[in-house]
Amino acid sequence: MKGVILAGGTGSRLRPITHTGPKQLVPIANKPVLEYAVDDLVEAGIDEIGVILGNKGRDEIQEYFGDGSDWGVDITYIVQGEPLGLAHAVGCAKDFVGDDSFVVYLGDDLMREGITELVEDFNSEEYAAGIGLQEVDEPSRYGIVDVNDEGDVIQLVEKPDDPPNNLALIGIYVFTPAIFGQIESLEKSRRGEYEITEAIQGLLDDGKRIQSHVVHGWWKDTGKPEDVLHANRLVLDDIKTSIDGTVENEESVTGRIELGDGSVIEEGAVIRGPVSIGEDTTITSDTYLGPYTSIGDNCVIDGAHIESSVVVGESEISAERTIVDSLIGRKATITANHEKKPDGERLVIGQNSSLEL
């Protein structure tokens, strides 16, 4: 079985963070969100991965992952160009897939339990496709899948007023090459896109069986700033303490932390985990890093109070202010305006920004 990761989205909901970089490389606990997808495919035993790229950010993604050898996989890059929907993106993988079954993984999704069971349970001799589902609290907000007593898919319903159940599509699929014939026969939807749900419904209409698989543990789409911050919390909840840098006063650090090589937590700084700090970053005295915060590589945090936030990297924050629930892009500079004394700040700061608080 092969893997296909869809990484062609523009990330419009994550602006200004994505004005200067692809959303798939936005870090969650100091690891790009796309890398979690690669890790899940590797864990499921897949060693050939096709990454579908759009017009934006493809050079950065290729530079980061290279040929995939660092992850023990062979990565093939496939350019989609203009994004015309999920079905269009999947259709671009036809030559790469050949006669094999394949997993489709949305490149900005995170799953706690991975996809190993979904892959292992799929039987390509009996089913034309498999769909990952999860129980949700408000099914009328999602694409819902109606299933029979055996777990076979009966129908896909988009945001139903009267949902048949609470099993929602989460953007993880397993397909046989039969899906390509359905994609080629599609017409654009009212949104101007080729919809993967319509291709799956076409398989059902042709009498093909579709397998459902309920995924347990959390699943998160990281399409908006608040989603990135929530995903960061979820991932940090599972980290273990790993200290490769220097902690000058261990008594000032409590809870679980990750500290990268070359990073320093100076005497007088207070760290309350879970916290992830990348490489070659300095946390100076009088700084407080509260729970659920990730600080990227090559940063200087000097005297700030930061909680429940993500600082992407190569940034300097010297404002003696409280920053909470914030997403701060690469190479940002935040300094203090001492005439103003706010109680706290909530920020979404893009790359190369300079801000006075």
Side-chain angles (χ1 to χ4, degrees), residues 253-325:
V253 176
T254 59
R256 293 166 288 110
I257 73 164
E258 296 176 334
L259 184 65
D261 186 49
S263 290
V264 178
I265 299 175
E266 293 183 352
E267 178 84 26
V270 176
I271 312 297
R272 298 287 182 261
V275 165
S276 176
I277 301 170
E279 298 181 353
D280 300 314
T281 284
T282 299
I283 311 297
T284 72
S285 60
D286 299 323
T287 296
Y288 177 95
L289 296 184
Y292 301 108
T293 295
S294 294
I295 308 295
D297 297 342
N298 301 298
C299 291
V300 176
I301 312 297
D302 184 9
H305 179 140
I306 305 176
E307 293 188 41
S308 300
S309 297
V310 173
V311 180
V312 174
E314 300 178 68
S315 295
E316 181 176 351
I317 301 176
S318 59
E320 296 176 1
R321 298 289 189 264
T322 298
I323 298 172
V324 298
D325 299 331

Side-chain angles (χ1 to χ4, degrees), residues 116-163:
T116 300
E117 288 187 4
L118 174 65
V119 171
E120 290 179 347
D121 288 349
F122 183 69
N123 184 341
S124 61
E125 294 183 0
E126 295 186 15
Y127 294 96
I131 304 176
L133 308 174
Q134 189 172 65
E135 296 181 352
V136 295
D137 293 332
E138 299 179 73
S140 60
R141 296 177 51 199
Y142 299 88
I144 297 299
V145 175
D146 195 7
V147 299
N148 63 20
D149 293 339
E150 288 74 37
D152 285 12
V153 175
I154 300 173
Q155 186 181 18
L156 285 70
V157 188
E158 183 64 26
K159 297 180 181 179
D161 292 330
D162 184 19

Side-chain angles (χ1 to χ4, degrees), residues 102-356:
F102 61 106
V103 183
V104 172
Y105 202 127
L106 270 63
D108 53 1
D109 277 1
L110 282 178
M111 297 176 59
R112 182 180 184 183
E113 301 297 337
I115 61 170
T116 300
E117 288 187 4
L118 174 65
V119 171
E120 290 179 347
D121 288 349
F122 183 69
N123 184 341
S124 61
E125 294 183 0
E126 295 186 15
Y127 294 96
I131 304 176
L133 308 174
Q134 189 172 65
E135 296 181 352
V136 295
D137 293 332
E138 299 179 73
S140 60
R141 296 177 51 199
Y142 299 88
I144 297 299
V145 175
D146 195 7
V147 299
N148 63 20
D149 293 339
E150 288 74 37
D152 285 12
V153 175
I154 300 173
Q155 186 181 18
L156 285 70
V157 188
E158 183 64 26
K159 297 180 181 179
D161 292 330
D162 184 19
N165 57 49
N166 66 340
L167 297 176
L169 290 160
I170 61 172
I172 307 294
Y173 309 94
V174 186
F175 291 122
T176 64
I179 194 66
F180 295 118
Q182 297 297 329
I183 291 172
E184 290 167 358
S185 67
L186 291 178
E187 296 182 358
K188 287 184 180 179
S189 67
R190 287 179 295 178
R191 297 194 304 168
E193 297 184 352
Y194 297 100
E195 308 289 353
I196 194 65
T197 51
E198 291 185 12
I200 296 170
Q201 187 63 49
L203 292 174
L204 290 172
D205 293 343
D206 285 350
K208 306 291 186 182
R209 296 179 68 191
I210 309 295
Q211 185 179 33
S212 69
H213 181 94
V214 179
V215 174
H216 301 286
W218 54 259
W219 154 74
K220 192 67 183 175
D221 170 12
T222 58
K224 296 181 291 186
E226 56 266 34
D227 297 327
V228 171
L229 296 176
H230 188 203
N232 189 63
R233 292 179 66 93
L234 293 171
V235 174
L236 288 179
D237 262 334
D238 290 333
I239 69 168
K240 298 179 181 179
T241 294
S242 173
I243 299 177
D244 295 320
T246 301
V247 180
E248 293 186 352
N249 181 7
E250 294 183 359
E251 292 183 358
S252 67
V253 176
T254 59
R256 293 166 288 110
I257 73 164
E258 296 176 334
L259 184 65
D261 186 49
S263 290
V264 178
I265 299 175
E266 293 183 352
E267 178 84 26
V270 176
I271 312 297
R272 298 287 182 261
V275 165
S276 176
I277 301 170
E279 298 181 353
D280 300 314
T281 284
T282 299
I283 311 297
T284 72
S285 60
D286 299 323
T287 296
Y288 177 95
L289 296 184
Y292 301 108
T293 295
S294 294
I295 308 295
D297 297 342
N298 301 298
C299 291
V300 176
I301 312 297
D302 184 9
H305 179 140
I306 305 176
E307 293 188 41
S308 300
S309 297
V310 173
V311 180
V312 174
E314 300 178 68
S315 295
E316 181 176 351
I317 301 176
S318 59
E320 296 176 1
R321 298 289 189 264
T322 298
I323 298 172
V324 298
D325 299 331
S326 298
L327 176 57
I328 298 172
R330 192 175 302 279
K331 297 183 179 179
T333 300
I334 301 177
T335 57
N337 178 346
H338 294 287
E339 295 179 0
K340 181 184 179 186
K341 297 290 185 181
D343 294 328
E345 316 290 351
R346 299 187 65 188
L347 309 169
V348 178
I349 305 296
Q351 181 170 324
N352 295 314
S353 298
S354 181
L355 185 67
E356 185 180 87

